[in-house]
Amino acid sequence: MATSQKPIASMSSITKRFLDVTANNDIDFNLYPGEICALLGENGAGKTTLMNILFGYYACDEGEIFIKGEKAELSAPRDAISRGVGMVRQHFALVPSQTVLENIIIGTDYGKGLFLDLKSARTKLLRLQKKFGLQVDPDARVWTLSVGEQQKVEILKALYRDVDILIMDEPTAVLAPAETVELFNTLKSMVKEGRSVVFISHKLNEVMEIADRVVVLRGGRVVAGRKTSETNIKELANLMVGRDLLERLEKKKVRPGKPVLEIENLRALNDKKLLALKGLNLVVRKNEILGMAGISGNGQRELSEALFGTRDPIGGTIKINGEAPRLGSPVSFIRLKMGRIPEDRIETGLMMDLSVEENLILENHATPEFQRFGMMNFKKIHQFSEDLIGAYSIMTAGRDAVTSSLSGGNLQKVMLARELAGRPAVVVASQPTRGLDVGAMEYIHQRILQEKERGAGVLLISEDLDEIFALSDRITVLYEGVIMGDVPVAEASREQIGLWMSGVTK
Amino acid sequence: MIRMRITRREPLPKWARVVIPIAAIVTTLILSAIPILLAGGHLWKSYYYLFYGALGTRFNLLETFVKASPLLLTGLAVAFAFRAKFWNIGAEGQLLAGALAATVLGVSLGGIPGFLVLPVIIIGGFLAGGIWAAIPAILKTKLKVDDVVSTLLLNYVMIHIMGALLFGPLQQPGSSWPRSSAIIEAAQYPILLTRSRFHLGILIALLAVLVIWFINKRTVFGYRAKAVGVNIRAAHFGGINTTAVILWTAMVSGGLAGLAGVGELCALQYRLIMDISPGYGYSGIVIAMLGNLHPVGVLFSALFFSVIIVGAHTMSRMTGVPTYIAEVIQGMALMIMLIFLLFTEYRIKVVRK
């Protein structure tokens, strides 16, 4: 991708404001044919906004866009698609009850008169699947597919519309490591035939691995552009964060105490009524972090939901500090001092249309401190929420600001502030840093370590092995609904954990 | 070629929530000129009599309040339910349930002390409406039956129950009409201002505005209902008993509609007839939307509606424009409000090709 080439897409002096926030500030961005260009930056740096403008989802306030040398007025995604721009967003736009094939042809000219021409659509789809290694059953209903497979459908949707430019917004956030490898192969084969890919990410390793060129955004501005062959992770991290990364986490030596979370023979069904937890046993002690590695879809969701009280197991016992909560009752787990960080903070954890304060008080709004005879004591509530906003340095316009105005890292801080405010005996954190930038990730890690030092027992469920190794005292692996093994971190090797993750015991 | 495109816009500031309903009402009044002129009315005379008829004299003004009281109660009922995303389209049936309970109690409570009769009827009417609304709430929470459909269909069930009773056990002896006997005098709402029909029910409706505002703003229940309304999953995760919240919301909502039925019966009709409500329950939906689901907004939109309804009669008498114009204006108000609400989330861009 010699820069002497003409760009296939060119954005110049793009500025986009949301009320009082400038998301993109005078940004110039070029994309060349046949390259993978990474857009790197922390959450809130303006990466997604910039690409939403190229995809016609937002209109920019200032600036011009040229696609294939022509000035483009994009007022809706279909304008962008007709010019060959496709985007796979973080939240997929698929119809769950329809098949893969039906999803792919929606909105295209697939008809012969009044009738669907599924046959030629199928031929075209199969050809694309073969060419790019995107194996999904065309007749499977989308709701039965894993997240990784749904992403393939989204990519196929774009390819089916013959896009030359494919924008991928944080595509690996939802993928297991093996799926990521597959995705990268697909992207590479796409650029080989002259298409271009924009890869939005804040994961430095991935950017170095997949991209030809990196454009770094910070605070809505472009701070640097580099060829990956001429830079390194350290430089990129500094450019992205604007400061040197902190040293590795400091783990204080604390001796684990008595068991605070005991799970015996836990059995639970998944949403499709299949057995997802097959008699699971584990113990977490006071002052200890138990890291649970494993590829998503092996029962992590069902285990965390059983521990949140939002899923009713079909058998087994859970004890918190020796006491058994009522299974399937969130309030019972809250009363026994369980701090719960769900993987899906936007759908399950937070009420995005309410204020920051209203989210902070969700679990203790009915305690005698905050209400009397059903009337809320706003003086104390305001004090409480302002204290938490300060203690967790939540960046918000104020306690009354609507939660959806917060960035991803700050949303997770609200989540943590609420769940840790009651000094829980046990903390169950499921994928606590998924989708967060380096700065926020560091903060969350430190908070989790602090909880352990304070005396909580922590169950950390994560797909990120670096995170597991950095934080845990003991590591365990969940595979097909059972625990594969349990090893102190000092004795754990990545090979061993990797074997367990793929179901090999020895 | 010029084309129009609808695109999403950023959230509007808070003052817009007050300005938009007012702008909608002003626009409605301006656009009302079209049907008035089409009906052959003299424009300024028609506007004059519309407002004179509703506000011009002491009696007319008080009549506007009389008309506003059931609209206010059904509007509050719908707004309260919608806030928790309980889609109560059944205020009409709940109103009839309230009126039915008031009738049964009103004709049969001769034996108890007079001062107890009205409290018993008011509570009975509230409970009847509340229970009638609790049925779809239970169906929704236990069996996942869609509340829009069940609340709507239960309206027709209630109309037929009422018809069966008015042609049967409740029918006035000796009458061949579907009407009940008159309620006893102690069951009648007192008139609060002389030379008018300004009755106790209006005070109850105004009190309800305050109570609902207080529940929404200050109480644990109001907070929980709001949480369930915006994200039921997160509310459940956070330990809120969402089933109980939906059930209580439905009961209060149905109870308010039931009170509207009690008022119509005990203050105006004194006996149950098939036409006790000209669709107040359905108007309540429009009023709740126009009032942006806020109790004070509902108060103003109910008053606006009753001005139009009451004023249209005078306008019709003085200018010959038919009273149906009131319904046209109400319909326009809803359409315009919905269009304005659409513009708070989206904007239209003109594209030249």
Side-chain angles (χ1 to χ4, degrees):
Chain A
M1 61 322 310
T3 32
S4 56
Q5 262 182 302
K6 273 218 166 107
I8 184 165
S10 169
M11 305 175 79
S12 69
S13 313
I14 301 288
T15 296
K16 173 72 182 171
R17 294 181 201 90
F18 294 102
L19 288 181
D20 41 2
V21 182
T22 305
N24 286 165
N25 195 345
D26 196 22
I27 290 185
D28 291 320
F29 175 78
N30 287 324
L31 182 68
Y32 298 94
E35 73 164 348
I36 298 181
C37 176
L39 265 186
L40 181 70
E42 294 194 286
N43 290 323
K47 309 171 299 243
T48 305
T49 303
L50 185 67
M51 286 303 111
N52 272 333
I53 291 169
L54 182 57
F55 188 52
Y57 190 74
Y58 291 142
C60 53
D61 299 325
E62 288 159 38
E64 290 185 319
I65 302 168
F66 295 88
I67 296 174
K68 296 169 192 163
E70 259 179 62
K71 186 162 163 26
E73 290 282 353
L74 309 170
S75 55
R78 67 181 153 221
D79 297 338
I81 292 167
S82 70
R83 289 178 167 84
V85 180
M87 181 163 178
V88 177
R89 313 168 125 261
Q90 277 181 289
H91 299 283
F92 302 146
L94 299 171
V95 186
S97 58
Q98 292 199 327
T99 67
V100 170
L101 184 61
E102 285 165 348
N103 265 284
I104 283 169
I105 60 177
I106 288 172
T108 62
D109 289 329
Y110 47 77
K112 273 185 188 162
L114 277 175
F115 299 96
L116 293 179
D117 183 11
L118 288 177
K119 210 169 155 193
S120 66
R122 182 186 297 270
T123 320
K124 181 171 175 186
L125 176 63
L126 290 175
R127 206 179 61 233
L128 288 171
Q129 287 194 308
K130 208 167 157 196
K131 190 158 152 196
F132 295 106
L134 291 159
Q135 288 317 315
V136 201
D137 176 7
D139 298 315
R141 305 226 168 245
V142 163
W143 66 269
T144 63
L145 303 180
S146 71
V147 182
E149 289 172 317
Q150 291 185 20
Q151 187 183 64
K152 288 183 188 169
V153 179
E154 282 283 4
I155 297 173
L156 283 166
K157 240 167 96 177
L159 290 171
Y160 190 89
R161 286 158 180 72
D162 297 318
V163 300
D164 310 301
I165 302 170
L166 182 65
I167 304 163
M168 303 284 302
D169 192 359
E170 310 247 0
T172 59
V174 294
L175 297 184
E179 290 175 317
T180 303
V181 174
E182 264 185 78
L183 171 70
F184 284 2
N185 288 336
T186 301
L187 296 183
K188 279 175 191 156
S189 61
M190 282 176 63
V191 291
K192 217 171 270 166
E193 51 164 47
R195 299 178 207 247
S196 312
V197 172
V198 180
F199 184 86
I200 303 179
S201 180
H202 53 246
K203 291 187 188 161
L204 299 165
N205 302 335
E206 286 179 354
V207 166
M208 287 300 289
E209 185 186 337
I210 186 77
D212 303 305
R213 199 161 61 84
V214 188
V215 171
V216 185
L217 294 188
R218 192 169 75 226
R221 290 176 182 276
V222 173
V223 290
R226 295 278 188 281
K227 286 185 173 169
T228 40
S229 55
E230 292 163 9
T231 184
N232 56 52
I233 287 194
K234 210 160 175 245
E235 188 196 19
L236 289 180
N238 287 340
L239 288 169
M240 178 166 87
V241 185
R243 61 186 153 82
D244 280 322
L245 284 175
L246 292 181
E247 293 305 300
R248 286 249 38 102
L249 291 162
E250 201 183 318
K251 268 203 267 182
K252 287 201 188 106
K253 277 270 172 227
V254 226
R255 186 181 291 273
K258 63 177 173 66
V260 286
L261 175 66
E262 296 160 273
I263 302 175
E264 252 177 64
N265 198 23
L266 191 68
R267 295 152 52 79
L269 301 180
N270 63 16
D271 289 341
K272 296 172 196 166
K273 305 285 176 215
L274 303 172
L275 196 62
L277 295 181
K278 303 165 180 168
L280 179 136
N281 297 294
L282 69 82
V283 172
V284 182
R285 276 172 249 282
K286 196 172 154 64
N287 294 107
E288 173 186 64
I289 297 179
L290 174 63
M292 177 175 278
I295 297 159
S296 277
N298 276 291
Q300 287 92 338
R301 171 175 281 274
E302 291 75 16
L303 173 62
S304 59
E305 286 176 355
L307 293 172
F308 296 157
T310 50
R311 182 179 294 272
D312 200 2
I314 55 168
T317 55
I318 298 173
K319 277 186 190 161
I320 302 168
N321 255 337
E323 280 188 74
R326 230 182 79 215
L327 299 181
S329 156
V331 71
S332 177
F333 283 82
I334 296 168
R335 285 210 186 108
L336 289 176
K337 290 200 169 279
M338 173 81 96
R340 306 162 306 147
I341 317 292
E343 58 178 296
D344 193 354
R345 45 190 172 269
I346 290 172
E347 296 285 324
T348 308
L350 298 170
M351 299 167 293
M352 300 296 278
D353 292 335
L354 294 191
S355 70
V356 172
E357 174 174 88
E358 284 166 320
N359 273 289
L360 287 172
I361 60 165
L362 177 62
E363 284 173 17
N364 49 6
H365 69 274
T367 54
E369 201 192 342
F370 293 136
Q371 60 93 27
R372 269 181 81 186
F373 309 116
M375 252 89 71
M376 317 225 350
N377 182 343
F378 283 109
K379 218 175 137 194
K380 282 200 177 147
I381 287 172
H382 293 337
Q383 186 63 49
F384 171 79
S385 51
E386 269 161 21
D387 285 351
L388 284 182
I389 289 169
Y392 286 79
S393 23
I394 298 166
M395 301 288 280
T396 167
R399 56 176 151 79
D400 288 332
V402 61
T403 307
S404 56
S405 67
L406 269 58
S407 72
N410 283 296
L411 289 176
Q412 188 68 324
K413 283 182 180 178
V414 173
M415 198 67 232
L416 248 68
R418 180 176 93 203
E419 295 296 326
L420 304 181
R423 303 169 65 83
V426 182
V427 176
V428 175
S430 182
Q431 318 290 356
T433 58
R434 180 184 276 177
L436 298 188
D437 61 64
V438 180
M441 191 186 271
E442 248 176 41
Y443 182 87
I444 306 292
H445 284 164
Q446 267 157 10
R447 271 286 169 186
I448 290 175
L449 285 175
Q450 278 170 22
E451 283 304 296
K452 161 194 141 180
E453 285 153 23
R454 178 183 61 74
V458 180
L459 175 61
L460 170 69
I461 302 172
S462 175
E463 274 192 307
D464 184 342
L465 272 186
D466 294 333
E467 177 169 274
I468 293 271
F469 272 89
L471 295 180
S472 310
D473 299 301
R474 267 191 309 138
I475 301 180
T476 177
V477 173
L478 186 62
Y479 177 78
E480 293 202 336
V482 291
I483 298 286
M484 294 298 287
D486 183 340
V487 58
V489 70
E491 298 161 29
S493 70
R494 287 190 179 240
E495 290 81 347
Q496 177 68 71
I497 301 299
L499 283 176
W500 280 350
M501 282 168 69
S502 47
V504 183
T505 36
K506 203 183 74 83
Chain B
M1 191 176 93
I2 296 176
R3 280 203 295 168
M4 290 203 297
R5 278 287 168 77
I6 296 177
T7 55
R8 197 177 283 275
R9 73 156 78 215
E10 294 88 57
L12 291 177
K14 279 189 175 172
W15 53 260
R17 275 188 269 164
V18 179
V19 172
I20 283 166
I22 294 172
I25 286 176
V26 171
T27 311
T28 306
L29 287 173
I30 293 170
L31 290 182
S32 303
I34 298 168
I36 289 173
L37 287 175
L38 284 177
H42 183 282
L43 194 59
W44 299 118
K45 243 168 114 179
S46 299
Y47 275 128
Y48 174 77
Y49 283 113
L50 184 68
F51 286 102
Y52 181 80
L55 311 165
T57 67
R58 175 181 178 274
F59 181 80
N60 292 354
L61 180 65
L62 294 177
E63 268 307 291
T64 299
F65 278 96
V66 171
K67 201 72 184 172
S69 113
L71 295 172
L72 184 46
L73 284 166
T74 54
L76 282 177
V78 173
F80 191 71
F82 278 18
R83 188 166 170 274
K85 296 240 165 78
F86 178 67
W87 301 115
N88 185 7
I89 313 296
E92 184 75 6
Q94 293 139 23
L95 179 150
L96 297 178
L100 196 59
T103 307
V104 172
L105 295 169
V107 296
S108 61
L109 280 181
I112 69 166
F115 69 91
L116 277 179
V117 171
L118 266 183
V120 169
I121 286 177
I122 289 169
I123 293 167
F126 187 93
L127 283 179
I131 290 167
W132 197 243
I135 297 170
I138 292 168
L139 291 174
K140 176 188 166 93
T141 53
K142 298 292 173 204
L143 299 173
K144 294 189 176 147
V145 176
D146 185 78
D147 40 349
V148 176
V149 176
S150 59
T151 51
L152 175 68
L153 292 184
L154 279 170
N155 288 341
Y156 299 101
V157 175
M158 183 47 76
I159 287 169
H160 290 298
I161 290 177
M162 199 171 86
L165 291 172
L166 283 184
F167 278 111
L170 278 187
Q171 193 169 25
Q172 183 183 26
S175 165
S176 54
W177 298 102
R179 61 178 207 179
S180 74
S181 306
I183 55 172
I184 58 173
E185 217 178 302
Q188 295 178 5
Y189 274 5
I191 300 294
L192 304 175
L193 295 171
T194 53
R195 288 178 293 116
S196 79
R197 300 201 292 170
F198 193 96
H199 57 80
L200 178 68
I202 297 164
L203 218 58
I204 292 176
L206 292 173
L207 197 66
V209 173
L210 275 180
V211 171
I212 295 301
W213 176 84
F214 184 82
I215 291 177
N216 286 351
K217 201 82 188 162
R218 297 256 136 199
T219 67
V220 170
F221 184 81
Y223 168 75
R224 289 180 177 171
K226 194 170 164 190
V228 168
V230 300
N231 185 348
I232 189 165
R233 247 175 95 177
H236 175 67
F237 178 88
I240 291 175
N241 182 345
T242 55
T243 306
V245 168
I246 291 172
L247 189 62
W248 281 105
T249 300
M251 297 270 283
V252 172
S253 169
L256 289 168
L259 287 182
V262 176
E264 291 310 283
L265 189 96
C266 298
L268 303 178
Q269 303 293 347
Y270 301 140
R271 65 174 79 238
L272 191 60
I273 53 172
M274 285 306 285
D275 309 331
I276 186 105
S277 163
Y280 288 133
Y282 299 108
S283 302
I285 301 166
V286 184
I287 287 164
M289 295 303 293
L290 190 61
N292 234 342
L293 306 188
H294 191 285
V296 177
V298 170
L299 171 65
F300 284 110
S301 62
L303 284 172
F304 170 69
F305 264 53
S306 64
V307 164
I308 300 297
I309 295 168
V310 174
H313 284 281
T314 308
M315 180 172 81
S316 167
R317 266 199 315 279
M318 303 306 286
T319 67
V321 176
T323 53
Y324 295 116
I325 208 87
E327 279 161 46
V328 176
I329 295 175
Q330 288 171 40
M332 277 171 44
L334 176 67
M335 297 297 287
I336 290 166
M337 181 66 185
L338 290 178
I339 291 168
F340 277 30
L341 283 177
L342 189 73
F343 282 125
T344 61
E345 281 185 51
Y346 299 92
R347 67 167 135 217
I348 287 188
K349 228 175 91 175
V350 178
V351 190
R352 282 187 187 78
K353 293 242 157 177

